[in-house]
Amino acid sequence: MRDTPAGIDRARVEEILRIAPFHAWLDLKVRSLTPERLELEMPWREEIVSNPALGSAHGGVLASLIDLTGFYALIARGTKVKATADLRVDYHRPATSGPLIATGSIVKVGRQISVAETNVYAPDEKLLASGRGAYICGDR
């Protein structure tokens, strides 16, 4: 596996975020991008609510946001990522409003497996969920 030295620019990351229908439905926007960090914003949608009594988002949506932020942080760096190998998520409090802000940081870029960590925040900057993904990389 070889990384491109400069990675991928913000416009290209936003473009590839919309290739898959589910990713397009999430309507993710790039808030900031550096070689080691990606910050995404996801607007609040009533369709993500799984507990109407609390008005809280489904945990699977938060897990998806964690997974995608780590995945695309690596892609933005220029890493050839193929798929998620493992994902660990911790839920800290219910997500009850938005937009949701996900900040992903690269932990390690490897020849076969790369790792990224992501935190998801509420609009008031309270931590909602955190997680770590391992991603299959390489040319094969």
Side-chain angles (χ1 to χ4, degrees):
M1 177 200 72
R2 297 274 188 247
D3 290 342
T4 58
I8 298 172
D9 69 18
R10 180 183 182 138
R12 179 66 178 138
V13 172
E14 288 188 337
E15 180 183 330
I16 60 177
L17 273 169
R18 300 201 172 282
I19 291 172
F22 177 64
H23 305 172
W25 181 82
L26 291 173
D27 195 23
L28 302 172
K29 305 270 190 294
V30 175
R31 286 176 53 126
S32 67
L33 175 63
T34 69
E36 300 299 320
R37 189 172 170 274
L38 170 66
E39 187 174 77
L40 297 177
E41 180 176 309
M42 187 187 101
W44 187 261
R45 310 169 66 122
E46 290 305 311
E47 296 93 341
I48 69 171
V49 172
S50 69
N51 183 337
L54 291 177
S56 60
H58 190 283
V61 172
L62 297 175
S64 294
L65 188 54
I66 288 168
D67 183 26
L68 292 172
T69 304
F71 190 96
Y72 283 99
L74 288 160
I75 287 176
R77 183 187 186 279
T79 304
K80 294 180 181 178
V81 184
K82 294 180 175 183
T84 305
D86 189 47
L87 184 67
R88 168 80 168 102
V89 176
D90 293 310
Y91 300 99
H92 305 289
R93 61 178 40 90
T96 57
S97 67
L100 302 176
I101 309 303
T103 303
S105 300
I106 296 171
V107 174
K108 179 188 185 299
V109 175
R111 293 191 326 173
Q112 294 181 337
I113 298 286
S114 294
V115 178
E117 293 180 332
T118 300
N119 292 326
V120 178
Y121 298 95
D124 63 2
E125 300 181 4
K126 289 186 179 174
L127 181 64
L128 302 173
S130 60
R132 177 181 277 223
Y135 303 92
I136 299 168
C137 300
D139 295 325
R140 295 188 182 128

